[in-house]
Amino acid sequence: MSQIVSNLILIKQRMELAALAAHREPEDIQLLAVSKTFPARAIEEAMHAGQTAFGENYVQEAVEKMGQLAKLRPWLQWHFIGPLQSNKTKEVAQHFDWVHSVDRLKIAERLSVQRGEYPELDALQICIQVNVSAEDSKSGLSLSETESLCDAVAQLPNLTLRGLMAIPAPSQDPQEQRNSFKQVHDCFKQIKDKHLNVSGYQFFDTLSMGMSDDMEAAITEGSTIVRIGSAIFGKRAKISP
């Protein structure tokens, strides 16, 4: 058994245990394998072990790997999870299935128009990024600004508003981790409850929260997608975007 396959088994066991401890169904939580900086062959290996959803931060690197894995495209789901600049939206709109990191209406509007240039593609699935820890170094909206952007994105064609994404400040304290995720979950629930049966919110069901060091806390507080990279693929080499 390869290291990637072994790591996938261990991560899924952690996810299942965390879900059961939180009285949740394990199948309600999706594993997103963060494959940034890792080669296409690592993605293919993970796919053959049953992993189909992959997250990328750098557009050019991701598009190159997509080309190398073109024959597997029907079985793969590509998620863009990094900061997104205006000059990169066209390629994201063309190649990805999900974008987790929308934090400005301008970006959403560009994605909407550019996704429309590919009528053969399904709507682009969108999460709004929340900067729950108010870190200057991170993208994302404040909790108080989140609903307004959700309302705007919900009305755009070629996009489907799915939920919220957050990357809280790192902490080794499980309770502090939970507190951050709970704030995001509370914001999500408030928006969802307020917009029941409102057009554009019918698929608002996603909380993209939790990484290798805090996924148990995220799952306890309602995460539906956890984003795991080096714990699956190994130590990541540092590269510039």
Side-chain angles (χ1 to χ4, degrees):
M1 183 184 301
S2 75
Q3 191 62 56
I4 287 176
V5 174
S6 177
N7 289 344
L8 278 168
I9 291 170
L10 291 173
I11 288 294
K12 289 177 181 178
Q13 287 175 343
R14 281 180 61 189
M15 291 172 62
E16 181 174 4
L17 288 172
L20 294 174
H23 306 290
R24 298 182 60 198
E25 296 296 330
E27 57 266 28
D28 291 341
I29 305 152
Q30 180 184 16
L31 173 59
L32 179 61
V34 179
S35 46
K36 66 174 183 180
T37 79
F38 294 106
R41 64 178 180 274
I43 295 172
E44 188 167 8
E45 187 176 339
M47 195 214 78
H48 287 304
Q51 179 63 31
T52 57
F54 295 89
E56 293 282 339
N57 286 56
Y58 309 126
V59 177
Q60 293 307 127
E61 177 200 344
V63 170
E64 183 178 336
K65 284 188 278 192
M66 289 175 189
Q68 294 169 357
L69 297 168
K71 67 182 186 299
L72 301 176
R73 185 64 177 95
W75 297 278
L76 297 177
Q77 189 180 77
W78 293 100
H79 295 236
F80 187 78
I81 60 175
L84 183 53
Q85 303 302 319
S86 296
N87 63 346
K88 298 293 185 182
T89 55
K90 185 172 178 62
E91 288 175 293
V92 169
Q94 179 182 359
H95 294 287
F96 283 85
D97 303 298
W98 283 68
V99 181
H100 291 230
S101 49
V102 172
D103 63 357
R104 286 172 286 155
L105 181 56
K106 176 184 177 182
I107 294 294
E109 288 173 337
R110 289 177 64 87
L111 289 171
S112 173
V113 170
Q114 291 161 344
R115 187 70 162 195
E117 296 172 8
Y118 303 94
E120 72 279 9
L121 299 179
D122 293 335
L124 191 60
Q125 310 299 297
I126 299 295
C127 288
I128 304 303
Q129 183 170 353
V130 179
N131 187 351
V132 65
S133 303
E135 294 178 273
D136 291 339
S137 61
K138 284 191 182 141
S139 303
L141 295 169
S142 68
L143 291 166
S144 62
E145 298 172 306
T146 301
E147 183 179 352
S148 177
L149 183 57
C150 285
D151 286 345
V153 171
Q155 303 308 312
L156 293 174
N158 309 312
L159 306 181
T160 298
L161 177 65
R162 294 302 301 267
L164 308 182
M165 184 271 260
I167 311 172
S171 172
Q172 297 303 311
D173 180 354
Q175 190 57 53
E176 190 173 326
Q177 293 173 356
R178 285 190 59 178
N179 289 343
S180 294
F181 291 129
K182 184 178 186 302
Q183 290 180 64
V184 183
H185 181 265
D186 288 349
C187 178
F188 169 83
K189 189 173 187 305
Q190 180 179 346
I191 294 171
K192 185 175 179 67
D193 290 349
K194 182 177 177 180
H195 294 83
L196 287 175
N197 303 317
V198 173
S199 176
Y201 278 89
Q202 58 265 48
F203 300 106
F204 193 74
D205 60 2
T206 299
L207 273 174
S208 173
M209 307 190 303
M211 298 185 285
S212 299
D213 292 338
D214 58 12
M215 73 174 186
E216 283 84 2
I219 289 171
T220 301
E221 297 300 336
S223 175
T224 63
I225 298 178
V226 293
R227 308 180 305 272
I228 310 296
S230 56
I232 295 172
F233 295 109
K235 188 175 181 180
R236 179 176 285 115
K238 291 185 178 181
I239 66 167
S240 297

